[in-house]
Amino acid sequence: MATTACFIIVSRNCIPIYEAEVGSAPKREDAAQLHQFVLHAALDIVQDLAWTTSAMFLKAIDRFNDLVVSVYVTAGPSHMFNNDISQCLPQTG
Amino acid sequence: MADPANTPLGKMLLDEITPVVMVARERLEKVITQAEEKDDSELGSDPSPIDNVHARYESANLPTWFDFFNKELVRSASFSDHEAFDHPVACLLVVSSKDEQPINQFVDLFNTNKLPSLLNDGAMDPKILKHYLLVHDSQDGTSENATKILTEMRSTFGSDCQLLCINSSQDGLVEHQDNPWVLYKSDASSGQNLGCFLNVDDINEMRDIMQDLSTKHIIPYMEQKIRVLNQQVSATRKGFKNQIKNLWWRKGKDEIADSSNGSMYTFSSIESQIRVLGDYAFMLRDYELALSNYRLISADYKLDKVWKRYAGVQEMMGLAYFLLDQSRKEAESCMENAFTTYLKIGPSGQQNATRCGLWWVEILKTRDQFSEAATVYFRICSQEPLHSAVMLEQASYCYLLSKPPMLHKYGFHLVLSGERYKKSNQIKHAIRTYKNAISVYKETTWSHIKDHVYFNIGQWYAYLGRYDLAVSHVLEVLACSHQSKTSQDIFLRHFLHIVQKTGKTFEVPKLQLPEIKISSLKVIFEDYRTYASPTAASVKESIWRSLEEELIPSLSTARPNWLELHSKLVTKKYKESNVCVAGEVVRVDIEFKNPLQISISVSSVSLICELSASSDETQSDANSQAGELQNDNKANKIASRELSDDNSFFTLSKVDFSLEGGETIMVQLKVTPRVEGILQIVGVKWNLSGVVVGFHNFGSNLMKKKNEKGRRRGNRSLNDNLKFVVIKSLPKLEGFIQPLPTTTYAGDVRHLVLELRNPSECAVKNLKLKVSHPRFLNMGSQESLDVEFPSCLEKKTEHQSVQPNPNSISQPVFTFPEDMLVKAETPLLWPLWFRAAVPGNISLYLTIYYEIEDTSSTMRYRTLRMHHNLQVLPSLDISFHVSPCPSKLEEFLVQMDVINRTSTDSFQVHQLSSVGEQWNISLLQPVDTIFPSQCLVAGQALSCFFLLKNQRKSGILEDKTSSTSAHLGSVVRLGPQGSTEPLFDTSISPLADFHHFERLHQEISHQGDSTVDFILISRPLKSDPDSGTFDSLQLFSHHSCHCRQVPIPKLRI
């Protein structure tokens, strides 16, 4: 199965800083916006979860259909929720 | 949480699952089954208001029809064989007294083939409570006949017979305040004058009969049945013995009847009876009893693997737990269990799953678990798009209501729901959800999301024909540089398509296509400073300032004339704004950038200007007394100001261009004011693809601009920079230098002509000129205008050549003759001498000062600024080496080294002159021996020796010193032997002038007496070096000044 991943770095205040679409799957026209939608929606979960756990890598915290969102939260001086490195991977198999 | 019965779910359950409602529903069965199909489409088109003005954000504004829709969904799953709620408890048979055979009619009504299928196929006990009602309409006659029928009925059916008389109002038309049925049946149409013949007694009687029916018949019947069933169940299933037996028996049964499925339970089977018992208990609000029975049966159904019934029981257990308010966890796990089980059994369980899910959601909502509720809503989504659209929208509201609100999820689910609304052609609903989503995404920089939302709303509005709204939304996505080329193309095409459909040209403020770079904004205008070329205008003001210092009369020199007044006036009145002249162009340079990858065409780019014309009156005021004028003038100005947009007051230039993907273009926009007044450049407008007019106001980015501007023109803000006081038209000089080369070799001497024109009738006078590099440019005298170059420089036998111009040497400012006027049609021509002094890139600046003859004009003088860039290439490198002659004290040996630095050209060395009377130079050897080829090809070096005699020291020269003879000197011809080419006189203008500046420039700190200057004159050979002929029109001079004898160590004897 062809896999695809979207990688976005989000700053504080939910501003995307960096975006990249990687993977072997053929590019779909609406893939970019779907990934953005899914990752944007996952921010809610991240915001909740970042306060409750000390782990930096939050694996599979949210999903939409076959898209799985994993988040790496960096430590920040004032905000725990400083940068997110969000990754959405479709479930393989 | 107070009383579970008071929560929305509790009320819903009480509404739906109560015996009274069940009875009333009996006749409605068919209607409901039909409505169930119509249900969705009918509700979807439910006209919910589309709020165009602003996105609703408050939870209070949830669409009210959600409840109704949910209710109908729940209702659509009723009358299933796996549960007993919808099984009728009692049957009310109603026959009119007008009927000819009422008794037969009653019998017919309960005919088995007309009964619902559940009663017939054995899933339900057909022996239900029957009640017979005879309705008599009093308008048809007296009730005697009716009572007769009633007695007949009593004898046939027993005591459960009643007579109801209606419409007993005699005169008709009894007004009821409100429709008496409105409480019970929401869709009863209120328009018809229902029950206008019913008087108060009739209504009371009806109510009494119904109350009687429920309290005296139905409820006692149910209670009775519960008791009977409870006894049966206890006898067969309760107790240890029964349980063991049941377990054993079940196992055996499992093997026998596996395929017979749910239909194996008839109403008489113990399982069905337990279920009926549970349901009846639930209906009569004995939840403890209901729960214990459900638990009992649940295990049985699970063992039997009858999943639908199992799920149904689990569902009821969840509700019972909820209403008992006991274990939250139990309630949820039961609901979850039921939900997944319903889904497991495939499409037949879908409706039940939906109902179960909705109840589950309500349970969660009651406990403020909104985000969990939202996930349940999400799970309810089925294949059917409309259904899932409504569910997703409800899910989104749950996210909104959760604490803290999960706005990201809210937006996402709104978009998902909108997409499904669109799929089921509910465009208005789709727009509504997307518009709500905008409130979430408005501030974000998630560009793809924004583009998707705005573009879709725009498209849908266009579909609905609301083109104005469509345009405003699609506008948001136009500047989508992050999108792929194809989608950019789609966006733009859709946009233009929509705009075309509106049938008018749209005017859009802040259109983002193309992008305007405000930071590139540059205003170029001419007040007293005028520019000969655009390049001159871009030169730094400070350069011009320093150049003009000596030209412009300073304000401090008090003159008792108008000028003083004028300067005061101007500084006070127009301190804050620029001055420009009517009829002269104000230019604005600004950059347009195409952010897209596709090309766009932009046309009719022009400035937006306002010109408030001042009347002549104020102008004359300005010319009168200065003292009181200030106040009057201001008042007058405001009063007489008339804002005009029509182009009669000024003309604008229009530019058309097309921008390729990513291209940036610098556009020059011009405005020419025609009348006096105040001109304000407001902004710029353009036409995109011929259909959309975009505006950009310069003032809006004021703050950003301030810094940039401050650097250029002092501390004025942008707004002030774009404001001009237009004054009366003035003469303006135009100047050219013909023919100034752009590339030349060092040493090149040329004769140029400065041409000054004044197109206006008003003459200008008192011209003065200053050159930034006098080494390069020198003013000639008027007589030398038409001389032939270079023959004019040839040494004449008679001494009447042009004398060096004392003016140009002594003064940095060249003043034209006092009486010279420049007027229309008579251009002023003046000779200029040019010499490329040093190699390199040189910028030449010329400023010409002139005064306007008409003294009534606001401006007294103006300056013309000319700027030329030229590239000077290296030609010959010359160095001199002077050493004392060993034999004589007055004689020196001069070594001249010449290197041709050019890459292609050849030069012929023509002559070497020494400057100064006292010096005499001569060749040591004949030219041919040292210089056989006569020409210096590219890269070639030459060195030759000369003998230099100091005549003064040797006493040969008679002393006749004069100032003019300072440039006289001796000449050595270096050309070919026997050449008749005349020698050039280095003591006349312009060579002498240039030599003067060279001397100044090459000046060394220690200047002794014994220095000597040399001038080498060479001429370039024509491109073919073999011909040996030189270009007779070109002449190169190389000046080497202050050559000193190399100091030799003094010998002491």
Side-chain angles (χ1 to χ4, degrees), chain A residues 14-16 29 33 36-37 40-41 43-45 62 64, chain B residues 406-409 412 416 441 445-446 448-449 452 484:
Chain A
C14 309
I15 299 162
E29 193 49 47
Q33 81 202 23
Q36 277 207 352
F37 269 123
H40 187 258
L43 286 175
D44 271 333
I45 312 268
D62 194 16
F64 177 74
Chain B
M406 300 171 86
L407 291 180
H408 299 121
K409 289 265 179 195
F412 184 44
L416 286 174
Y441 296 122
T445 48
W446 293 68
H448 285 282
I449 293 178
H452 172 86
S484 68

PDB file of all heavy atoms in Angstrom, chain A residues 14-16 29 33 36-37 40-41 43-45 62 64, chain B residues 406-409 412 416 441 445-446 448-449 452 484:
ATOM      1  N   CYS A  14      -0.818  28.402  16.907  1.00  0.00           N
ATOM      2  CA  CYS A  14      -1.330  27.573  15.817  1.00  0.00           C
ATOM      3  C   CYS A  14      -1.008  28.111  14.435  1.00  0.00           C
ATOM      4  O   CYS A  14      -1.834  28.044  13.535  1.00  0.00           O
ATOM      5  CB  CYS A  14      -2.839  27.375  15.919  1.00  0.00           C
ATOM      6  SG  CYS A  14      -3.346  26.815  17.513  1.00  0.00           S
ATOM      7  N   ILE A  15       0.160  28.658  14.265  1.00  0.00           N
ATOM      8  CA  ILE A  15       0.539  29.120  12.936  1.00  0.00           C
ATOM      9  C   ILE A  15       1.471  28.082  12.316  1.00  0.00           C
ATOM     10  O   ILE A  15       2.481  27.734  12.921  1.00  0.00           O
ATOM     11  CB  ILE A  15       1.231  30.483  13.016  1.00  0.00           C
ATOM     12  CG1 ILE A  15       0.268  31.496  13.605  1.00  0.00           C
ATOM     13  CG2 ILE A  15       1.720  30.927  11.649  1.00  0.00           C
ATOM     14  CD1 ILE A  15       0.934  32.727  14.128  1.00  0.00           C
ATOM     15  N   PRO A  16       1.108  27.579  11.154  1.00  0.00           N
ATOM     16  CA  PRO A  16       1.996  26.590  10.534  1.00  0.00           C
ATOM     17  C   PRO A  16       3.256  27.267  10.001  1.00  0.00           C
ATOM     18  O   PRO A  16       3.189  28.274   9.307  1.00  0.00           O
ATOM     19  CB  PRO A  16       1.162  26.018   9.395  1.00  0.00           C
ATOM     20  CG  PRO A  16       0.163  27.051   9.096  1.00  0.00           C
ATOM     21  CD  PRO A  16      -0.067  27.829  10.341  1.00  0.00           C
ATOM     22  N   GLU A  29      -5.146  15.971  -5.620  1.00  0.00           N
ATOM     23  CA  GLU A  29      -5.279  17.428  -5.615  1.00  0.00           C
ATOM     24  C   GLU A  29      -5.749  17.941  -4.253  1.00  0.00           C
ATOM     25  O   GLU A  29      -5.281  18.951  -3.752  1.00  0.00           O
ATOM     26  CB  GLU A  29      -6.278  17.842  -6.714  1.00  0.00           C
ATOM     27  CG  GLU A  29      -6.271  19.308  -7.023  1.00  0.00           C
ATOM     28  CD  GLU A  29      -4.861  19.860  -7.257  1.00  0.00           C
ATOM     29  OE1 GLU A  29      -4.070  19.250  -8.000  1.00  0.00           O
ATOM     30  OE2 GLU A  29      -4.553  20.898  -6.663  1.00  0.00           O
ATOM     31  N   GLN A  33      -5.234  19.899   1.358  1.00  0.00           N
ATOM     32  CA  GLN A  33      -6.214  20.535   2.227  1.00  0.00           C
ATOM     33  C   GLN A  33      -6.795  19.553   3.233  1.00  0.00           C
ATOM     34  O   GLN A  33      -7.067  19.924   4.372  1.00  0.00           O
ATOM     35  CB  GLN A  33      -7.306  21.208   1.401  1.00  0.00           C
ATOM     36  CG  GLN A  33      -8.388  20.300   0.898  1.00  0.00           C
ATOM     37  CD  GLN A  33      -9.088  20.901  -0.280  1.00  0.00           C
ATOM     38  OE1 GLN A  33      -8.550  21.742  -0.978  1.00  0.00           O
ATOM     39  NE2 GLN A  33     -10.290  20.461  -0.534  1.00  0.00           N
ATOM     40  N   GLN A  36      -4.311  19.253   5.950  1.00  0.00           N
ATOM     41  CA  GLN A  36      -4.355  20.452   6.795  1.00  0.00           C
ATOM     42  C   GLN A  36      -5.561  20.417   7.725  1.00  0.00           C
ATOM     43  O   GLN A  36      -5.452  20.728   8.902  1.00  0.00           O
ATOM     44  CB  GLN A  36      -4.424  21.705   5.922  1.00  0.00           C
ATOM     45  CG  GLN A  36      -3.066  22.140   5.442  1.00  0.00           C
ATOM     46  CD  GLN A  36      -3.016  23.630   5.162  1.00  0.00           C
ATOM     47  OE1 GLN A  36      -4.035  24.309   5.185  1.00  0.00           O
ATOM     48  NE2 GLN A  36      -1.831  24.135   4.910  1.00  0.00           N
ATOM     49  N   PHE A  37      -6.691  20.016   7.171  1.00  0.00           N
ATOM     50  CA  PHE A  37      -7.900  19.948   7.991  1.00  0.00           C
ATOM     51  C   PHE A  37      -7.694  18.993   9.155  1.00  0.00           C
ATOM     52  O   PHE A  37      -8.007  19.315  10.304  1.00  0.00           O
ATOM     53  CB  PHE A  37      -9.087  19.474   7.150  1.00  0.00           C
ATOM     54  CG  PHE A  37      -9.863  20.579   6.513  1.00  0.00           C
ATOM     55  CD1 PHE A  37     -10.040  20.630   5.157  1.00  0.00           C
ATOM     56  CD2 PHE A  37     -10.439  21.563   7.294  1.00  0.00           C
ATOM     57  CE1 PHE A  37     -10.758  21.659   4.575  1.00  0.00           C
ATOM     58  CE2 PHE A  37     -11.166  22.583   6.717  1.00  0.00           C
ATOM     59  CZ  PHE A  37     -11.323  22.637   5.359  1.00  0.00           C
ATOM     60  N   HIS A  40      -5.113  20.351  11.623  1.00  0.00           N
ATOM     61  CA  HIS A  40      -5.639  21.512  12.332  1.00  0.00           C
ATOM     62  C   HIS A  40      -6.616  21.075  13.411  1.00  0.00           C
ATOM     63  O   HIS A  40      -6.597  21.578  14.534  1.00  0.00           O
ATOM     64  CB  HIS A  40      -6.323  22.429  11.320  1.00  0.00           C
ATOM     65  CG  HIS A  40      -6.755  23.733  11.881  1.00  0.00           C
ATOM     66  ND1 HIS A  40      -8.060  23.997  12.223  1.00  0.00           N
ATOM     67  CD2 HIS A  40      -6.056  24.846  12.194  1.00  0.00           C
ATOM     68  CE1 HIS A  40      -8.135  25.213  12.706  1.00  0.00           C
ATOM     69  NE2 HIS A  40      -6.942  25.759  12.702  1.00  0.00           N
ATOM     70  N   ALA A  41      -7.461  20.116  13.060  1.00  0.00           N
ATOM     71  CA  ALA A  41      -8.435  19.642  14.035  1.00  0.00           C
ATOM     72  C   ALA A  41      -7.747  18.930  15.195  1.00  0.00           C
ATOM     73  O   ALA A  41      -8.217  18.993  16.334  1.00  0.00           O
ATOM     74  CB  ALA A  41      -9.427  18.709  13.357  1.00  0.00           C
ATOM     75  N   LEU A  43      -5.162  19.717  16.637  1.00  0.00           N
ATOM     76  CA  LEU A  43      -4.539  20.652  17.582  1.00  0.00           C
ATOM     77  C   LEU A  43      -5.299  20.722  18.899  1.00  0.00           C
ATOM     78  O   LEU A  43      -4.712  20.909  19.956  1.00  0.00           O
ATOM     79  CB  LEU A  43      -4.465  22.046  16.964  1.00  0.00           C
ATOM     80  CG  LEU A  43      -3.409  22.234  15.891  1.00  0.00           C
ATOM     81  CD1 LEU A  43      -3.527  23.613  15.291  1.00  0.00           C
ATOM     82  CD2 LEU A  43      -2.038  22.055  16.487  1.00  0.00           C
ATOM     83  N   ASP A  44      -6.606  20.564  18.821  1.00  0.00           N
ATOM     84  CA  ASP A  44      -7.424  20.583  20.036  1.00  0.00           C
ATOM     85  C   ASP A  44      -6.965  19.507  20.996  1.00  0.00           C
ATOM     86  O   ASP A  44      -6.811  19.744  22.192  1.00  0.00           O
ATOM     87  CB  ASP A  44      -8.893  20.350  19.669  1.00  0.00           C
ATOM     88  CG  ASP A  44      -9.590  21.654  19.361  1.00  0.00           C
ATOM     89  OD1 ASP A  44      -9.146  22.682  19.892  1.00  0.00           O
ATOM     90  OD2 ASP A  44     -10.559  21.622  18.600  1.00  0.00           O
ATOM     91  N   ILE A  45      -6.794  18.324  20.434  1.00  0.00           N
ATOM     92  CA  ILE A  45      -6.401  17.197  21.256  1.00  0.00           C
ATOM     93  C   ILE A  45      -5.014  17.451  21.832  1.00  0.00           C
ATOM     94  O   ILE A  45      -4.747  17.191  23.004  1.00  0.00           O
ATOM     95  CB  ILE A  45      -6.377  15.900  20.407  1.00  0.00           C
ATOM     96  CG1 ILE A  45      -7.648  15.776  19.604  1.00  0.00           C
ATOM     97  CG2 ILE A  45      -6.108  14.693  21.273  1.00  0.00           C
ATOM     98  CD1 ILE A  45      -8.738  15.027  20.219  1.00  0.00           C
ATOM     99  N   ASP A  62      -4.785  11.248  17.415  1.00  0.00           N
ATOM    100  CA  ASP A  62      -6.053  11.533  16.767  1.00  0.00           C
ATOM    101  C   ASP A  62      -6.060  10.805  15.431  1.00  0.00           C
ATOM    102  O   ASP A  62      -5.003  10.502  14.873  1.00  0.00           O
ATOM    103  CB  ASP A  62      -6.210  13.045  16.538  1.00  0.00           C
ATOM    104  CG  ASP A  62      -7.639  13.413  16.196  1.00  0.00           C
ATOM    105  OD1 ASP A  62      -8.528  12.559  16.441  1.00  0.00           O
ATOM    106  OD2 ASP A  62      -7.879  14.521  15.700  1.00  0.00           O
ATOM    107  N   PHE A  64      -8.439  10.293  11.616  1.00  0.00           N
ATOM    108  CA  PHE A  64      -9.606  10.566  10.783  1.00  0.00           C
ATOM    109  C   PHE A  64      -9.559   9.564   9.647  1.00  0.00           C
ATOM    110  O   PHE A  64      -8.611   9.556   8.863  1.00  0.00           O
ATOM    111  CB  PHE A  64      -9.563  11.988  10.250  1.00  0.00           C
ATOM    112  CG  PHE A  64     -10.700  12.304   9.333  1.00  0.00           C
ATOM    113  CD1 PHE A  64     -11.967  12.505   9.857  1.00  0.00           C
ATOM    114  CD2 PHE A  64     -10.527  12.360   7.970  1.00  0.00           C
ATOM    115  CE1 PHE A  64     -13.039  12.775   9.028  1.00  0.00           C
ATOM    116  CE2 PHE A  64     -11.591  12.624   7.129  1.00  0.00           C
ATOM    117  CZ  PHE A  64     -12.851  12.835   7.669  1.00  0.00           C
TER     118      PHE A  64
ATOM    119  N   MET B 406     -13.653  23.136  21.794  1.00  0.00           N
ATOM    120  CA  MET B 406     -12.659  22.599  20.852  1.00  0.00           C
ATOM    121  C   MET B 406     -12.974  23.175  19.489  1.00  0.00           C
ATOM    122  O   MET B 406     -13.652  22.565  18.676  1.00  0.00           O
ATOM    123  CB  MET B 406     -12.714  21.077  20.860  1.00  0.00           C
ATOM    124  CG  MET B 406     -12.420  20.517  22.239  1.00  0.00           C
ATOM    125  SD  MET B 406     -12.735  18.768  22.358  1.00  0.00           S
ATOM    126  CE  MET B 406     -11.196  18.110  21.774  1.00  0.00           C
ATOM    127  N   LEU B 407     -12.462  24.355  19.280  1.00  0.00           N
ATOM    128  CA  LEU B 407     -12.850  25.101  18.081  1.00  0.00           C
ATOM    129  C   LEU B 407     -12.303  24.480  16.811  1.00  0.00           C
ATOM    130  O   LEU B 407     -12.946  24.523  15.766  1.00  0.00           O
ATOM    131  CB  LEU B 407     -12.370  26.546  18.193  1.00  0.00           C
ATOM    132  CG  LEU B 407     -13.104  27.351  19.242  1.00  0.00           C
ATOM    133  CD1 LEU B 407     -12.575  28.766  19.298  1.00  0.00           C
ATOM    134  CD2 LEU B 407     -14.594  27.368  18.957  1.00  0.00           C
ATOM    135  N   HIS B 408     -11.127  23.902  16.905  1.00  0.00           N
ATOM    136  CA  HIS B 408     -10.565  23.293  15.699  1.00  0.00           C
ATOM    137  C   HIS B 408     -11.438  22.164  15.201  1.00  0.00           C
ATOM    138  O   HIS B 408     -11.736  22.042  14.031  1.00  0.00           O
ATOM    139  CB  HIS B 408      -9.157  22.765  15.986  1.00  0.00           C
ATOM    140  CG  HIS B 408      -8.213  23.837  16.412  1.00  0.00           C
ATOM    141  ND1 HIS B 408      -7.556  23.809  17.610  1.00  0.00           N
ATOM    142  CD2 HIS B 408      -7.839  24.973  15.804  1.00  0.00           C
ATOM    143  CE1 HIS B 408      -6.813  24.881  17.716  1.00  0.00           C
ATOM    144  NE2 HIS B 408      -6.954  25.608  16.641  1.00  0.00           N
ATOM    145  N   LYS B 409     -11.858  21.339  16.183  1.00  0.00           N
ATOM    146  CA  LYS B 409     -12.718  20.216  15.811  1.00  0.00           C
ATOM    147  C   LYS B 409     -14.069  20.719  15.318  1.00  0.00           C
ATOM    148  O   LYS B 409     -14.652  20.164  14.390  1.00  0.00           O
ATOM    149  CB  LYS B 409     -12.929  19.313  17.035  1.00  0.00           C
ATOM    150  CG  LYS B 409     -11.696  18.547  17.425  1.00  0.00           C
ATOM    151  CD  LYS B 409     -11.722  17.175  16.806  1.00  0.00           C
ATOM    152  CE  LYS B 409     -10.476  16.411  17.174  1.00  0.00           C
ATOM    153  NZ  LYS B 409     -10.288  15.230  16.345  1.00  0.00           N
ATOM    154  N   PHE B 412     -13.702  21.736  11.753  1.00  0.00           N
ATOM    155  CA  PHE B 412     -13.492  20.579  10.888  1.00  0.00           C
ATOM    156  C   PHE B 412     -14.788  19.831  10.650  1.00  0.00           C
ATOM    157  O   PHE B 412     -15.126  19.479   9.515  1.00  0.00           O
ATOM    158  CB  PHE B 412     -12.445  19.666  11.536  1.00  0.00           C
ATOM    159  CG  PHE B 412     -12.073  18.477  10.698  1.00  0.00           C
ATOM    160  CD1 PHE B 412     -11.835  18.614   9.352  1.00  0.00           C
ATOM    161  CD2 PHE B 412     -11.941  17.231  11.279  1.00  0.00           C
ATOM    162  CE1 PHE B 412     -11.472  17.522   8.577  1.00  0.00           C
ATOM    163  CE2 PHE B 412     -11.583  16.138  10.516  1.00  0.00           C
ATOM    164  CZ  PHE B 412     -11.357  16.284   9.169  1.00  0.00           C
ATOM    165  N   LEU B 416     -16.913  19.111   7.265  1.00  0.00           N
ATOM    166  CA  LEU B 416     -17.304  17.765   6.851  1.00  0.00           C
ATOM    167  C   LEU B 416     -18.800  17.700   6.599  1.00  0.00           C
ATOM    168  O   LEU B 416     -19.261  17.112   5.620  1.00  0.00           O
ATOM    169  CB  LEU B 416     -16.929  16.754   7.941  1.00  0.00           C
ATOM    170  CG  LEU B 416     -15.459  16.398   8.084  1.00  0.00           C
ATOM    171  CD1 LEU B 416     -15.282  15.502   9.293  1.00  0.00           C
ATOM    172  CD2 LEU B 416     -14.955  15.704   6.839  1.00  0.00           C
ATOM    173  N   TYR B 441     -11.840  29.722  11.021  1.00  0.00           N
ATOM    174  CA  TYR B 441     -10.641  29.751  10.177  1.00  0.00           C
ATOM    175  C   TYR B 441     -10.228  31.148   9.752  1.00  0.00           C
ATOM    176  O   TYR B 441      -9.220  31.313   9.096  1.00  0.00           O
ATOM    177  CB  TYR B 441     -10.874  28.891   8.937  1.00  0.00           C
ATOM    178  CG  TYR B 441     -11.082  27.433   9.255  1.00  0.00           C
ATOM    179  CD1 TYR B 441     -12.228  26.762   8.884  1.00  0.00           C
ATOM    180  CD2 TYR B 441     -10.097  26.734   9.954  1.00  0.00           C
ATOM    181  CE1 TYR B 441     -12.408  25.426   9.193  1.00  0.00           C
ATOM    182  CE2 TYR B 441     -10.272  25.399  10.265  1.00  0.00           C
ATOM    183  CZ  TYR B 441     -11.427  24.743   9.871  1.00  0.00           C
ATOM    184  OH  TYR B 441     -11.588  23.432  10.181  1.00  0.00           O
ATOM    185  N   THR B 445      -3.640  30.925   9.548  1.00  0.00           N
ATOM    186  CA  THR B 445      -2.808  31.013   8.355  1.00  0.00           C
ATOM    187  C   THR B 445      -2.710  29.650   7.678  1.00  0.00           C
ATOM    188  O   THR B 445      -1.811  29.412   6.906  1.00  0.00           O
ATOM    189  CB  THR B 445      -1.404  31.485   8.725  1.00  0.00           C
ATOM    190  OG1 THR B 445      -0.966  30.721   9.834  1.00  0.00           O
ATOM    191  CG2 THR B 445      -1.410  32.940   9.092  1.00  0.00           C
ATOM    192  N   TRP B 446      -3.633  28.795   8.001  1.00  0.00           N
ATOM    193  CA  TRP B 446      -3.652  27.477   7.338  1.00  0.00           C
ATOM    194  C   TRP B 446      -4.278  27.694   5.963  1.00  0.00           C
ATOM    195  O   TRP B 446      -5.491  27.593   5.781  1.00  0.00           O
ATOM    196  CB  TRP B 446      -4.437  26.481   8.171  1.00  0.00           C
ATOM    197  CG  TRP B 446      -3.770  26.159   9.467  1.00  0.00           C
ATOM    198  CD1 TRP B 446      -3.602  27.010  10.525  1.00  0.00           C
ATOM    199  CD2 TRP B 446      -3.168  24.937   9.856  1.00  0.00           C
ATOM    200  NE1 TRP B 446      -2.928  26.380  11.526  1.00  0.00           N
ATOM    201  CE2 TRP B 446      -2.648  25.099  11.155  1.00  0.00           C
ATOM    202  CE3 TRP B 446      -3.018  23.709   9.231  1.00  0.00           C
ATOM    203  CZ2 TRP B 446      -1.984  24.078  11.819  1.00  0.00           C
ATOM    204  CZ3 TRP B 446      -2.369  22.697   9.906  1.00  0.00           C
ATOM    205  CH2 TRP B 446      -1.853  22.886  11.184  1.00  0.00           C
ATOM    206  N   HIS B 448      -4.449  26.290   2.946  1.00  0.00           N
ATOM    207  CA  HIS B 448      -5.267  25.375   2.126  1.00  0.00           C
ATOM    208  C   HIS B 448      -6.679  25.291   2.675  1.00  0.00           C
ATOM    209  O   HIS B 448      -7.645  25.216   1.918  1.00  0.00           O
ATOM    210  CB  HIS B 448      -4.621  23.990   2.090  1.00  0.00           C
ATOM    211  CG  HIS B 448      -3.430  23.924   1.200  1.00  0.00           C
ATOM    212  ND1 HIS B 448      -3.527  23.842  -0.164  1.00  0.00           N
ATOM    213  CD2 HIS B 448      -2.113  23.966   1.468  1.00  0.00           C
ATOM    214  CE1 HIS B 448      -2.329  23.809  -0.699  1.00  0.00           C
ATOM    215  NE2 HIS B 448      -1.437  23.886   0.277  1.00  0.00           N
ATOM    216  N   ILE B 449      -6.788  25.284   3.985  1.00  0.00           N
ATOM    217  CA  ILE B 449      -8.101  25.220   4.611  1.00  0.00           C
ATOM    218  C   ILE B 449      -8.912  26.443   4.227  1.00  0.00           C
ATOM    219  O   ILE B 449     -10.054  26.347   3.775  1.00  0.00           O
ATOM    220  CB  ILE B 449      -7.944  25.155   6.142  1.00  0.00           C
ATOM    221  CG1 ILE B 449      -7.309  23.837   6.554  1.00  0.00           C
ATOM    222  CG2 ILE B 449      -9.270  25.371   6.819  1.00  0.00           C
ATOM    223  CD1 ILE B 449      -7.082  23.699   8.022  1.00  0.00           C
ATOM    224  N   HIS B 452     -10.025  26.402   0.661  1.00  0.00           N
ATOM    225  CA  HIS B 452     -11.109  25.443   0.434  1.00  0.00           C
ATOM    226  C   HIS B 452     -12.446  26.026   0.878  1.00  0.00           C
ATOM    227  O   HIS B 452     -13.424  25.988   0.145  1.00  0.00           O
ATOM    228  CB  HIS B 452     -10.798  24.156   1.207  1.00  0.00           C
ATOM    229  CG  HIS B 452     -11.907  23.168   1.207  1.00  0.00           C
ATOM    230  ND1 HIS B 452     -12.081  22.258   0.194  1.00  0.00           N
ATOM    231  CD2 HIS B 452     -12.912  22.959   2.085  1.00  0.00           C
ATOM    232  CE1 HIS B 452     -13.153  21.525   0.449  1.00  0.00           C
ATOM    233  NE2 HIS B 452     -13.671  21.927   1.598  1.00  0.00           N
ATOM    234  N   SER B 484      -1.174  24.978  -6.217  1.00  0.00           N
ATOM    235  CA  SER B 484      -0.547  24.515  -7.442  1.00  0.00           C
ATOM    236  C   SER B 484      -1.055  25.353  -8.608  1.00  0.00           C
ATOM    237  O   SER B 484      -2.043  26.074  -8.511  1.00  0.00           O
ATOM    238  CB  SER B 484      -0.877  23.047  -7.667  1.00  0.00           C
ATOM    239  OG  SER B 484      -2.250  22.929  -7.943  1.00  0.00           O
TER     240      SER B 484
END
